[in-house]
Amino acid sequence: MIQHEKIHFKQQIEMLFLFFYFWYITEFLIRLVIHKNVDKAYRNISFEREAYHHEQDDNYLFTRKKFRWIHFIKG
Ligand SMILES: [Zn+2]
């Protein structure tokens, strides 16, 4: 598993999977309205921003605080 997917897995666990997908889709739709661009909407989902931002850091999941993705909701 690559780091990006590992980060998503941690997010899914803390969101009990169901809420992860619920919020993922909800945030995507909100951002789609804002950006009017599918790729931009996807890239700016807070789960994705956290994963992209830290995907090069192999130690990230050892130091990551729970619900860290919330910090990525705002730019
Ligand atoms: Zn991703």
Side-chain angles (χ1 to χ4, degrees):
M1 247 197 304
I2 62 162
Q3 181 71 355
H4 185 99
E5 300 309 320
K6 284 183 184 171
I7 294 170
H8 281 325
F9 190 59
K10 265 271 165 80
Q11 294 165 340
Q12 287 165 350
I13 290 169
E14 67 196 10
M15 293 294 281
L16 307 173
F17 291 91
L18 190 68
F19 295 110
F20 173 88
Y21 292 108
F22 174 78
W23 181 248
Y24 193 103
I25 292 164
T26 302
E27 196 178 349
F28 174 76
L29 292 175
I30 293 168
R31 295 197 183 276
L32 190 59
V33 170
I34 295 168
H35 298 296
K36 296 173 180 66
N37 178 300
V38 171
D39 189 57
K40 224 175 172 184
Y42 153 75
R43 281 271 181 170
N44 281 287
I45 296 168
S46 48
F47 294 129
E48 294 299 344
R49 291 169 86 155
E50 183 190 14
Y52 280 114
H53 196 263
H54 292 286
E55 66 184 8
Q56 308 296 340
D57 180 2
D58 289 338
N59 291 319
Y60 179 59
L61 289 176
F62 298 107
T63 56
R64 177 185 183 268
K65 291 195 173 75
K66 274 197 166 188
F67 299 102
R68 189 65 190 165
W69 58 271
I70 292 171
H71 285 255
F72 289 84
I73 292 178
K74 280 189 181 178

